[in-house]
Amino acid sequence: MMEHLEMEARGALEQVMSLQETPSEAKWFLNCLYRGFSPKLLSREKPELLLLGEDIPWELTRAAGAHTRVILGGSLETTHWSDALLPRDADPISRSACGWLMNPHFNLTENALVLTALTSDSRRKLTGLMRDSGINILAVDLPPMWDRLQWQEAWVDGMVRVIRAIEAHTDKTVTRGALAAAIGQHEQVRVGIAAFRRASWIAGNALSPALRQLILESFWFAPNTDEWLMRLNRLIAVLRETARRHAKPAEARPRVLIAGSPVIFPNEKLPLLLESAGLALVDTVDSVSAQLEMPAPKLPRFGGVTGLLLQMAECRLPRDASGAWTVNHGLLDGLKRKLDAQRVDGVVYHVLKGQIELDFELPRVEALCERYGVPVFRLETDYQQQDVEQLRIRMEAFAEMLRQQNLEGMRIAL
Amino acid sequence: MEARRRDRFDRRQTATAEKTLRRVRALTHCPQALTPFLDTLSRVFVDRQDVVHPKGVPTVGTYCVMVPPELIYAQGAMPVKLCGGSYTAFAVGDDTAPRDACPLVKAVMGFEDIDAMPAYQNCALMAVPVTCDCKKKLAGWLQERRPTSILHVPANRDRDADMERFTRELYAFSDSLAEITGVPLTSENLSMAFHRLAEAQTQLSRFIDLRRKHPTLIRGAFAMAAMNAMSYTWAPSWTKQLARLNDELEGLARAGTMAVKGNQPRLLLTGSPVIFPNFKLPLLIEEMGGLLAADETCMGERGLYDPPAIVDPSLNGMMRALANRATRPCTCPTFADNRRRLYRVRQMIEDYRIQGVVYHVLRGCLVYDYEYAAMEAEMERLGIPIIRVETDYNEEDVEQLRIRIEAFIELIKYGGNDR
């Protein structure tokens, strides 16, 4: 069964790599992704901390210096493993995450403390299930809004609990200095990602958008953030050099943005569909990518760890695109920022079946995009492959419409 | 166009509510004292009039039992539970809400959209506790349209810090109430409200006690109608109505007049709330020869079942008591750890001598669906048959459900479960 998991990861990587030649500097990132699914490593791996979901800042575990694995979902195979445990309508991310942590094939939770934030119904109930099955888990509650001081304090209180639990579990102290250093590293990651996006665009066809997406996703699977950053900077340098020497301009494909549910490796269905429909993925706006785009807070001179967390709350919560909020301002503002910053021809609003909180945001997303004159295409799917051909037809129709629209625009300009 | 839409809504809404009431009244052994409860439902859903409340008292729409009615009464307003059960409003809300949203939320959005129900439209404030994803998004949606107070319900409730936080939420809600009523929260008016609700609780305890002692004394559909009517009735009036019903039931019990035969299978309904006029399940159970002996849903007794335990009579102490009462004994699946729901159902099975459990899942109500596996395992341990019924706010599946419920009742009748 674990071989199926490995095959799933290999299949996704091969599909992306078959699009065009992969630069050798990019292979390390793909290997990172692959290793995350290796049966041999999975049987051996005993992380100290497991971050379930993206809602708890990874800086907190980084500050403790503990061996951490992030579980975001993404895998169809692990989804199958949780079939008997969860209701039919549970979303694929929760199903997959449940399969990662509760399965008969490997036990990532053996020595681990699982840390998660209760941002959705599924997460809440999943926490109860895991606790009942003996998994050591700390679940912190997130308020439904962040615009009251009381709610920001609730977030800080939750994160203080996370830190205390990490310290108790790992016997390591999270100091102000260590947290500040982790925040600094997060800022380097954010700057690095922005630079990488720019470099890959100016390098034209050197990297396919799907490959670029995979490289960004590999962050969550990297065993060492320092090395990931170093490799990313090396790749950026290569791309810049490519652009300087023999850049071929990227094909004039309609530029599309994916918003809504996150694309998580190895579920690369959507980026691959965009490729096959002749669309260029320019960016993503979702809860996972938003985490890596959070600006670093100003570090206060005094105040200890709690002071830093308060600054983080102020800085992060308005940009957090999690489903936890009554209105997902983080998603809407993120989308607006990206529409302001670059030319976007269309938005694919990705809804993973069961992620009702994102479906509720669709009218607001449509209203926002209408102001920019950008069409929105709602695409609902799950991790299965049965609907790929139907989705391909719909995506091709969308691509055709965008191409016609662009041609029409050119005619008017002429 | 809009007028035609409203006209169509009026006709359908009236027809559905009337039909449900007719079916309730058509059941045998309807106590006379049930009439005021049915009249209340008829007034709100058939005649589409506002709830009866003292002049000058604003109404506050609440969307969960976790909003303490004491607080609203204390500050000079009247709570009206607005969770929707209307098929017609559901169809309207279907255009606004995402396809997979639960029917309850769709019905609420439909009522808000159609703007034709005075009980909804006249509310001066909406109070939405965030108990599930749909309610969370509903809160954001309502806030863009109406004055809305959003209450963050802690997903864990065993730490004092969580209770403190919920107490602060209640204070924030109290501030919103003061804005609409002009009545500040004081220990005196809160204490008065406690007394007012305590009387209702006393009558409810009498009612529960009667049902426990005589599970066949009153049909469950009647009990549910009385509980649903509480949502739209001024508390002291509801207390009087329930007292009269209790008196009548006591008389019937003394005379040995039961609503159904003693060998009729006694069922417990648990899961997603059953809200008038969506009485599909209770009516099917009763019509197919079963007795709905008890219900564990939040529109049933759960809303008033637990009295607040006041250990500190100061204002803050009373607010803490409210926060504790609203969350700690609550069996809502919004909580990450909800084992107490199993204990509660087990207790009810003992108390009401239950022979089978109907587990109601409204389509899209994921939190209840998550808890089904644990409930099923527990029932298997106890040797109590359980059936999971997933349904929606429409009548298309009624005949299929009828067959399933009938088969379930027969299974209990002839299956040798002679509890």
Side-chain angles (χ1 to χ4, degrees):
Chain A
M1 288 297 148
M2 284 175 75
E3 292 70 37
H4 292 173
L5 186 66
E6 189 186 25
M7 273 160 57
E8 187 189 0
R10 194 191 302 144
L13 290 172
E14 280 171 1
Q15 279 191 68
V16 174
M17 286 166 78
S18 70
L19 295 171
Q20 67 185 69
E21 200 184 335
T22 307
S24 56
E25 287 76 11
K27 285 186 178 149
W28 182 86
F29 299 95
L30 305 186
N31 198 34
C32 260
L33 291 166
Y34 183 62
R35 282 166 59 91
F37 290 76
S38 152
K40 217 194 276 169
L41 292 179
L42 278 171
S43 328
R44 276 209 314 257
E45 192 178 356
K46 301 288 172 220
E48 288 177 276
L49 300 172
L50 282 161
L51 274 180
L52 173 57
E54 70 284 4
D55 307 281
I56 292 180
W58 65 270
E59 296 95 302
L60 304 192
T61 56
R62 171 74 189 167
H67 175 198
T68 307
R69 185 173 176 125
V70 186
I71 303 291
L72 297 174
S75 159
L76 174 63
E77 192 55 30
T78 58
T79 302
H80 293 323
W81 297 342
S82 70
D83 269 349
L85 296 170
L86 305 187
R88 183 198 60 209
D89 294 337
D91 65 281
I93 289 185
S94 306
R95 298 175 81 89
S96 172
C98 179
W100 274 108
L101 300 183
M102 296 169 81
N103 67 70
H105 312 296
F106 53 87
N107 188 2
L108 290 174
T109 61
E110 196 175 325
N111 303 330
L113 167 67
V114 181
L115 299 164
T116 193
L118 302 174
T119 51
S120 67
D121 288 344
S122 281
R123 193 70 68 74
R124 222 169 12 222
K125 303 314 288 180
L126 208 53
T127 302
L129 267 178
M130 288 181 186
R131 207 171 271 151
D132 288 348
S133 64
I135 293 175
N136 184 11
I137 185 164
L138 175 77
V140 292
D141 210 357
L142 287 191
M145 292 168 88
W146 42 262
D147 54 354
R148 257 197 241 158
L149 181 63
Q150 180 186 333
W151 284 332
Q152 291 191 12
E153 284 171 357
W155 185 88
V156 171
D157 177 52
M159 295 311 129
V160 169
R161 283 182 67 206
V162 169
I163 290 176
R164 297 286 165 264
I166 291 174
E167 288 176 334
H169 183 74
T170 60
D171 265 342
K172 290 167 186 155
T173 309
V174 176
T175 60
R176 184 188 191 279
L179 185 55
I183 290 171
Q185 193 179 43
H186 176 92
E187 181 62 6
Q188 286 174 22
V189 169
R190 185 183 74 84
V191 171
I193 287 175
F196 171 63
R197 282 187 189 284
R198 274 194 305 275
S200 62
W201 273 110
I202 57 167
N205 287 335
L207 286 184
S208 66
L211 180 58
R212 193 191 62 222
Q213 179 66 21
L214 272 189
I215 290 168
L216 293 175
E217 285 171 44
S218 71
F219 172 81
W220 302 103
F221 292 83
N224 184 331
T225 311
D226 293 320
E227 187 174 3
W228 188 86
L229 259 172
M230 189 262 288
R231 299 269 182 179
L232 188 74
N233 286 329
R234 196 178 290 169
L235 181 59
I236 291 169
V238 170
L239 290 172
R240 283 181 181 152
E241 186 59 19
T242 311
R244 198 175 65 81
R245 289 192 177 184
H246 43 78
K248 280 189 281 178
E251 297 163 54
R253 295 193 275 172
R255 296 160 59 93
V256 169
L257 205 142
I258 298 178
S261 300
V263 172
I264 301 160
F265 183 78
N267 174 44
E268 298 300 315
K269 189 153 85 171
L270 205 46
L272 287 166
L273 274 172
L274 290 179
E275 289 285 345
S276 74
L279 296 168
L281 170 64
V282 287
D283 217 332
T284 52
V285 186
D286 58 58
S287 54
V288 175
S289 56
Q291 290 299 321
L292 298 181
E293 291 168 10
M294 300 279 182
K298 275 189 192 157
L299 302 182
R301 292 178 68 184
F302 309 104
V305 168
T306 312
L308 277 185
L309 289 172
L310 264 169
Q311 289 291 323
M312 281 175 86
E314 234 174 72
C315 202
R316 292 175 64 94
L317 297 185
R319 284 179 175 244
D320 192 325
S322 133
W325 315 118
T326 52
V327 177
N328 197 337
H329 292 292
L331 182 82
L332 297 168
D333 292 347
L335 186 56
K336 188 173 180 306
R337 267 195 306 277
K338 299 208 165 163
L339 289 172
D340 282 332
Q342 59 203 322
R343 199 197 94 210
V344 173
D345 298 316
V347 170
V348 174
Y349 194 70
H350 178 214
V351 180
L352 282 174
K353 240 164 242 174
Q355 288 209 310
I356 189 79
E357 62 273 28
L358 285 167
D359 228 357
F360 265 100
E361 297 297 337
L362 179 65
R364 294 189 186 99
V365 168
E366 282 176 336
L368 174 68
C369 291
E370 198 179 331
R371 286 209 298 275
Y372 284 84
V374 173
V376 178
F377 169 50
R378 176 184 177 278
L379 187 144
E380 183 176 348
T381 183
D382 54 17
Y383 289 170
Q384 301 286 344
Q385 291 295 323
Q386 281 100 321
D387 58 354
V388 163
E389 290 312 314
Q390 287 170 15
L391 293 179
R392 196 188 309 281
I393 292 168
R394 289 185 64 203
M395 193 69 90
E396 277 167 2
F398 184 60
E400 193 53 41
M401 187 198 79
L402 294 181
R403 270 192 288 272
Q404 291 300 326
Q405 191 177 279
N406 285 355
L407 284 173
E408 190 63 29
M410 282 165 68
R411 265 201 293 276
I412 291 168
L414 285 171
Chain B
M1 185 68 181
E2 186 57 27
R4 273 176 58 195
R5 186 167 167 246
R6 282 181 61 135
D7 185 45
R8 208 165 47 234
F9 174 83
D10 287 351
R11 273 187 282 116
R12 286 189 187 164
Q13 163 68 24
T14 305
T16 317
E18 252 177 352
K19 187 179 163 192
T20 306
L21 283 171
R22 206 167 44 237
R23 282 175 70 191
V24 173
R25 287 194 176 106
L27 293 170
T28 57
H29 296 91
C30 181
Q32 281 181 352
L34 194 75
T35 310
F37 299 109
L38 299 180
D39 288 348
T40 300
L41 296 174
S42 176
R43 176 190 166 85
V44 173
F45 290 96
V46 179
D47 306 332
R48 286 190 319 286
Q49 291 179 38
D50 198 359
V51 293
V52 178
H53 54 96
K55 210 172 172 192
V57 172
T59 54
V60 173
T62 66
Y63 287 93
C64 179
V65 291
M66 281 187 228
V67 183
E70 289 89 343
L71 202 53
I72 301 173
Y73 279 115
Q75 292 189 255
M78 174 187 165
V80 183
K81 253 190 250 166
L82 294 183
C83 289
S86 161
Y87 300 167
T88 325
F90 161 75
V92 176
D94 214 13
D95 293 340
T96 314
R99 187 199 58 213
D100 293 337
C102 80
L104 187 152
V105 162
K106 281 185 185 173
V108 170
M109 291 171 90
F111 275 132
E112 190 62 33
D113 260 355
I114 202 81
D115 197 19
M117 290 286 285
Y120 279 72
Q121 299 321 123
N122 295 348
C123 286
L125 177 71
M126 299 294 189
V128 192
V130 175
T131 49
C132 66
D133 289 345
C134 281
K135 286 258 176 84
K136 177 168 68 191
K137 301 316 275 189
L138 171 71
W141 185 84
L142 271 177
Q143 203 174 32
E144 289 169 353
R145 288 157 179 83
R146 305 281 291 266
T148 302
S149 184
I150 298 172
L151 286 93
H152 174 212
V153 178
N156 296 303
R157 52 189 155 171
D158 298 324
R159 293 185 325 140
D160 286 343
D162 293 324
M163 282 308 105
E164 284 303 310
R165 186 152 295 126
F166 191 58
T167 308
R168 279 199 276 163
E169 292 289 309
L170 293 184
Y171 274 113
F173 173 49
S174 162
D175 291 344
S176 307
L177 283 169
E179 275 175 32
I180 60 154
T181 61
V183 180
L185 181 69
T186 63
S187 56
E188 286 76 27
N189 56 25
L190 187 55
S191 178
M192 289 271 284
F194 272 111
H195 284 296
R196 182 177 281 173
L197 268 296
E199 285 165 19
Q201 274 167 337
T202 306
Q203 288 306 324
L204 183 66
S205 300
R206 244 181 100 197
F207 183 68
I208 292 171
D209 202 38
L210 276 166
R211 289 187 79 193
R212 277 183 191 154
K213 282 183 189 150
H214 313 282
T216 53
L217 184 60
I218 182 171
R219 287 181 180 277
F222 297 148
M224 289 194 109
M227 292 303 136
N228 267 261
M230 181 172 64
S231 305
Y232 314 101
T233 315
W234 179 247
S237 312
W238 187 80
T239 309
K240 278 184 202 151
Q241 291 166 7
L242 191 61
R244 277 197 290 273
L245 180 61
N246 286 335
D247 292 343
E248 187 180 338
L249 292 177
E250 272 173 1
L252 290 170
R254 272 196 301 274
T257 313
M258 296 294 138
V260 297
K261 285 185 208 154
N263 63 352
Q264 213 150 323
R266 291 178 296 278
L267 303 182
L268 167 83
L269 183 64
T270 182
S272 306
V274 173
I275 305 163
F276 186 84
N278 176 39
F279 268 26
K280 197 156 52 176
L281 269 183
L283 285 170
L284 278 177
I285 291 170
E286 306 270 10
E287 287 167 356
M288 288 298 105
L291 171 72
L292 180 55
D295 84 279
E296 190 273 327
T297 69
C298 55
M299 280 303 276
E301 295 152 8
R302 200 205 283 171
L304 260 188
Y305 180 80
D306 300 292
I310 306 161
V311 284
D312 167 10
S314 69
L315 178 63
N316 205 28
M318 286 193 278
M319 289 294 271
R320 284 200 183 127
L322 282 182
N324 270 299
R325 192 275 311 273
T327 51
R328 284 206 159 133
C330 186
T331 53
C332 177
T334 184
F335 299 104
D337 171 16
N338 197 26
R339 265 167 289 195
R340 61 199 72 179
R341 180 156 168 250
L342 294 179
Y343 307 146
R344 173 101 184 96
V345 167
R346 219 157 52 196
Q347 184 66 49
M348 290 179 94
I349 287 172
E350 279 301 310
D351 289 347
Y352 295 92
R353 283 161 271 162
I354 295 297
Q355 294 166 292
V357 173
V358 178
Y359 198 97
H360 179 218
V361 179
L362 279 176
R363 204 159 287 157
C365 187
L366 199 59
V367 281
Y368 272 110
D369 219 0
Y370 261 101
E371 293 197 349
Y372 178 70
M375 186 67 77
E376 195 183 25
E378 183 67 17
M379 291 305 116
E380 196 181 334
R381 208 179 59 76
L382 296 175
I384 299 281
I386 182 168
I387 182 175
R388 175 184 175 279
V389 178
E390 184 173 348
T391 179
D392 215 334
Y393 282 0
N394 60 51
E395 298 202 81
E396 284 152 26
D397 59 353
V398 166
E399 291 312 312
Q400 288 167 13
L401 290 180
R402 191 188 300 280
I403 292 167
R404 291 189 65 204
I405 296 284
E406 195 174 11
F408 186 62
I409 288 170
E410 278 171 9
L411 170 99
I412 294 167
K413 224 181 213 170
Y414 307 114
N417 186 343
D418 53 356
R419 283 170 68 89

